[in-house]
Amino acid sequence: LCSLSKDTINRNDINIYCNKAEDYKIYLLHNHLINGELTSAKELLGSVLREGSLIPLISYLATNFEILLMARACLDSGYSTANTLKTIVDNFNGKYEYRIKNLIKQVRRFDISDIRKAIDTLAELDYLSKSNNYYLGESMLGYLCEIYKIK
């Protein structure tokens, strides 16, 4: 962090530049995108891209949208928030309860067609990222803005 030539180092600098578990960085990236915080999302995406493969990023986000799809379907069918949480947590064998709880709070931002389109886009990105001689790199932010409806 000292090499940044900054007078002060803040929490945002630590989140962006210090190695943390990859899942945690992607969790933060998702939250920045959900909240429309494009500048923070761009910096964090740059960090994720510098440190490794796109495959874990795409996989984590695809799982988020799978959970959002289940939440939207449950809520649209009249399930209470508590029953929606229980149903989805049970579907994931008791894993990810905190993550699922947060996603249920965020699902109201998307309608079912937005979520399905996001899943299709993430599937396409997964294919492209695994294809020979194709690097998503900088274009990844544009795809994420489309998925999260950021203009």
Side-chain angles (χ1 to χ4, degrees):
L1 286 175
C2 293
S3 67
L4 294 175
S5 302
K6 295 177 91 175
D7 293 333
T8 58
I9 296 170
N10 60 38
R11 169 173 257 162
N12 193 43
D13 294 328
I14 292 169
N15 285 338
I16 293 169
Y17 297 104
C18 290
N19 283 333
K20 291 189 176 188
E22 191 171 33
D23 281 357
Y24 180 69
K25 282 189 174 184
I26 298 169
Y27 167 82
L28 287 176
L29 176 62
H30 168 83
N31 285 335
H32 288 313
L33 290 165
I34 270 288
N35 294 322
E37 299 164 353
L38 190 55
T39 302
S40 297
K42 185 176 181 180
E43 291 172 358
L44 202 49
L45 177 61
S47 174
V48 169
L49 291 175
R50 282 190 300 277
E51 291 175 13
S53 167
L54 277 175
I55 295 169
L57 169 66
I58 294 168
S59 175
Y60 188 96
L61 295 178
T63 301
N64 277 0
F65 278 92
E66 178 186 356
I67 293 167
L68 287 168
L69 182 64
M70 285 186 265
R72 179 83 278 153
C74 287
L75 293 170
D76 288 352
S77 296
Y79 281 55
S80 68
T81 301
N83 283 343
T84 298
L85 176 63
K86 182 183 178 334
T87 300
I88 298 171
V89 169
D90 287 351
N91 191 55
F92 281 92
N93 299 317
K95 294 181 181 179
Y96 314 128
E97 184 171 352
Y98 178 79
R99 179 178 174 186
I100 293 167
K101 195 179 293 186
N102 285 333
L103 289 166
I104 289 170
K105 291 177 189 172
Q106 297 169 344
V107 75
R108 300 195 192 294
R109 188 173 193 279
F110 300 98
D111 63 34
I112 201 103
S113 64
D114 294 330
I115 297 169
R116 286 188 175 141
K117 184 177 179 202
I119 290 170
D120 289 345
T121 301
L122 288 164
E124 180 183 334
L125 294 175
D126 183 56
Y127 173 79
L128 289 173
S129 70
K130 293 174 182 173
S131 297
N132 292 335
N133 300 321
Y134 195 89
Y135 176 70
L136 288 165
E138 297 297 321
S139 64
M140 189 66 186
L141 184 63
Y143 285 109
L144 292 175
C145 286
E146 178 184 323
I147 289 169
Y148 286 89
K149 302 186 315 182
I150 300 171
K151 297 185 187 228

